[in-house]
Amino acid sequence: MRLPTVVFLSVLCALTCLGPALSRAGHAAQSTPVTTAHGTATLLSDSDSFMPGQDMHFGLRLQLAPGWHTYWLNPGDAGEAVTLALHASGGAVGEGGPIEWPVPQRLRDGPLMSYAYTGDVVLPVRLQPQEAKEGADMVVEATADWLVCATVCVPEHAQFSMTLPRAPLYPSPQAPLFARAAAQRPVASPFAAAIAPDGTLSLSGEGLSPAMVRDAWFMPEQPGQIDHDAPQVLHVRNGLLQLGLKTADGFHRDAPLSGIVVIRDVSGREQALAVTARPGGPPAIAAARGGGIAALARLLALAFAGGMILNLMPCVFPVLAMKVLSLERMARGERRAALLGAGLYAGGIVVAFVVLGALIVGLRMAGDTVGWGFQFQSVTFVMLMCWLLFAIALNLLGVFSFGTGIAALGGAGRLSGHLGDVLTGVLAVVVATPCTAPFMGAAIAGALSASPVTGIAIFVAMGLGLAAPYLLLASVPGLVRLLPRPGAWMEIVRQVLAFPMLATCVWLAWVATLQGGQVAVPLLAGGLVLVALAAWLVRKAQDMVMAGRGWRDGLVLACRGGALLAVALAVGAVTMVPPALAPQGASATPPPGDGSEAFSQARLETLRAQGKPVFIDMTAAWCISCLVNERVALSPQRVRDAFARQGVVYMKGDWTGRDAAITAFLRDHGRDGVPLYVYYPAHGDGVVLPQVLTPGLVLHTIGAQ
């Protein structure tokens, strides 16, 4: 064969082999760029060709000028998301799917937070072309709108077109850009996710630990659900990550919350997880809720037991004085009256628990971080309680009476007694809230993270537990007969029981001083004087009524009016407390000499990283159980010496006033009130101690005996 013939055949073979490639090269895998002063936009394809029925990707590539950015699916506090509409015609037809969004950056501008992209970004969409005209090319047309912002924002618009031949799919030169975009997308989360009514986002599962997670943040898919600029308080323990989100008007407590959680590990590497958090509390509680009737029964049992034990807590001791007043009627054998009084007392307790629980849930849904006993964080409430208990003490001492005198004034003695039973139950709940009895912590946490109906049922069970001993005493004839017969001793006991009330007033005055400072002292003392004046005027009116009417009617009315005026002045004074007296967070430093330091989450993490054991004491000046535990179990010299020998750092968190960090720590440990005691050994997870401490228990926990 001649040489020219060989050359000709070789060229022909090469052309035959390269034909498909040359054909694809004649069809651009990207559109003509659209360039503005703020960047360049181009439509890309990940393949040089198409095949009907086979997925392919197209993408909007934005190459933004330095200093400019555009926006994610949820732009945040300002901006508009990029839109891309894609349509195929000719040899195949189809519509592009939604944008497969890469993880955005968080850009802060003053008080605003945006989720955005800068630099070079590709926003892909998926297309599955369907057969239309056999042998024809596919024409792809797209319309895109996006907003670019720097110091000003400029809306931009572009239309693109490209033509692709029918052929087996072959990666285009732009395919690596799509691979990069795919790597920047969030991955499905391997962790169970839950969102509590108060906005606490929880992830649970293996691999989460303080040693691995250094930082984390959440970006919701839909706008208006959270305050984007608010701090997201992070708490991590083994198997659990929690982010405290501040909810916004668009947040729905019964709806899932979708978005991206970005976790940064100790090496600085970031991992983006796509999550859909289901309504519920922390995962441990959510799992319990998933147990159905058995889990609900367990929470109800815990609530009932906690309510019963609450009768033994120091907080309820002042109310025992009012309970004793009913023993005389029981001892006389007035069984029907005793049962009715006990039932009304129990009803007052249950109603108070339901109202208090509904108030806490409502405030937490509104974004407030309140917990059990939150009302004692208000100096106004503390003053009102001090005056109320002072009035009750004056009543017990006989300065005035709620009985015959009020009946004569009002003409309804029996109604007055029944109302007293109900109000006694309400007061029992109010003064009990500074304490958290054993079993109550889990029950309250379950109630606040469950559905409203379940939560109310749990609070009802807690109220029934508090009322159960008194109901049992009233309903069992044998127990009633064991009571001593009435006599003169009843009046002596009645007056003696006024002094625990007065002691409680001293304690409340101390709490008010811690919260409001020295300015609270004259307001509180002045209110006590007005309450005493009102009691004296009521007594004078009662004496006049019992002595007969006639000319005294006018004076009686004057005394009653004066009493009401005195009470109104006292209440008015405290409700107009100046802003300087409002709670300002932790209000009292730890007492000198107890060896403690103020709680700080950052300080705790530093100490744990250094391998030092830490004992956490979450307390409040208004929590009687806390004060008893500190005096009995934490203040003895042998306990302090053991802390020093073991190198235990004693940290105290004061929740007397509102403190978001302490509230978050309590929630992390399934509590909504104090006391809470947690011991962190030098190496290992924290250990939660019971709510009633003994020196031996503390020493055993820290390994000192």
Side-chain angles (χ1 to χ4, degrees), residues 49 237 274 320-321 329 351 353 358 376 379 528-529 539 542 572-573 682 696:
S49 56
R237 61 178 186 265
L320 295 177
R329 184 170 55 190
V351 169
F353 261 107
F376 278 88
V379 64
L528 291 174
V529 172
R539 176 57 183 264
Q542 291 172 344

Side-chain angles (χ1 to χ4, degrees), residues 311-334:
N311 284 280
L312 305 177
M313 305 301 286
C315 305
V316 189
F317 285 170
V319 184
L320 295 177
M322 286 169 284
K323 294 182 181 180
V324 170
L325 297 180
S326 300
L327 297 182
E328 181 182 0
R329 184 170 55 190
M330 288 186 181
R332 287 174 178 169
E334 299 178 13

Side-chain angles (χ1 to χ4, degrees), residues 301-320 323 345 349-350 352-354 356 372-373 375-376 424-441 443-444 458-470 622-626 673-675 691-692:
L302 289 174
F304 186 84
M308 286 193 66
I309 297 175
L310 202 57
N311 284 280
L312 305 177
M313 305 301 286
C315 305
V316 189
F317 285 170
V319 184
L320 295 177
K323 294 182 181 180
Y345 169 74
I349 287 178
V350 171
F353 261 107
V354 170
L356 184 59
W372 182 251
Q375 66 272 30
F376 278 88
T424 301
V426 172
L427 186 61
V429 175
V430 172
V431 299
T433 49
C435 290
T436 304
F439 308 120
M440 279 183 60
I444 293 173
I458 292 172
F459 277 104
V460 168
M462 207 175 304
L464 291 175
L466 179 59
Y470 195 73
W622 41 260
C623 173
I624 298 180
S625 300
C626 305
V674 290
Q691 291 156 310
V692 177

Side-chain angles (χ1 to χ4, degrees), residues 360-611:
I360 294 174
V361 171
L363 290 174
R364 293 181 73 154
M365 289 176 60
D368 207 338
T369 54
V370 299
W372 182 251
F374 74 97
Q375 66 272 30
F376 278 88
Q377 295 175 331
S378 165
V379 64
T380 300
F381 181 84
V382 170
M383 286 185 178
L384 291 174
M385 281 299 304
C386 183
W387 295 340
L388 175 60
L389 294 182
F390 182 65
I392 293 172
L394 294 179
N395 173 257
L396 294 173
L397 290 171
V399 176
F400 71 104
S401 66
F402 289 126
T404 306
I406 293 293
L409 287 173
R414 185 169 298 277
L415 178 61
S416 176
H418 295 168
L419 181 61
D421 289 325
V422 174
L423 294 180
T424 301
V426 172
L427 186 61
V429 175
V430 172
V431 299
T433 49
C435 290
T436 304
F439 308 120
M440 279 183 60
I444 293 173
L448 297 181
S449 60
S451 66
V453 174
T454 301
I456 293 299
I458 292 172
F459 277 104
V460 168
M462 207 175 304
L464 291 175
L466 179 59
Y470 195 73
L471 285 172
L472 181 65
L473 186 64
S475 58
V476 179
L479 294 177
V480 175
R481 283 194 291 269
L482 295 177
L483 296 175
R485 298 185 65 82
W489 67 271
M490 294 293 295
E491 183 62 24
I492 296 175
V493 171
R494 180 177 186 269
Q495 295 179 8
V496 167
L497 289 174
F499 294 97
M501 291 287 189
L502 293 174
T504 305
C505 292
V506 174
W507 161 63
L508 290 173
W510 172 64
V511 174
T513 304
L514 291 178
Q515 294 174 324
Q518 294 182 351
V519 183
V521 175
L523 279 176
L524 181 64
L528 291 174
V529 172
L530 291 174
V531 171
L533 173 62
W536 180 76
L537 290 173
V538 169
R539 176 57 183 264
K540 286 301 178 184
Q542 291 172 344
D543 289 345
M544 293 174 190
V545 170
M546 298 302 294
R549 295 183 181 273
W551 64 270
R552 298 182 180 85
D553 288 350
L555 187 56
V556 169
L557 291 175
C559 289
R560 291 169 63 184
L564 291 174
L565 177 61
V567 173
L569 288 174
V571 174
V574 77
T575 54
M576 293 186 292
V577 175
L581 294 184
Q584 300 293 331
S587 54
T589 56
D594 69 351
S596 68
E597 62 177 83
F599 169 79
S600 163
Q601 184 67 36
R603 172 67 172 157
L604 172 61
E605 293 172 357
T606 299
L607 291 171
R608 297 205 65 199
Q610 294 172 352

Side-chain angles (χ1 to χ4, degrees), residues 219-230:
M219 297 177 287
E221 287 186 357
Q222 300 298 323
Q225 295 185 307
I226 69 170
D227 183 343
H228 305 291
D229 187 55

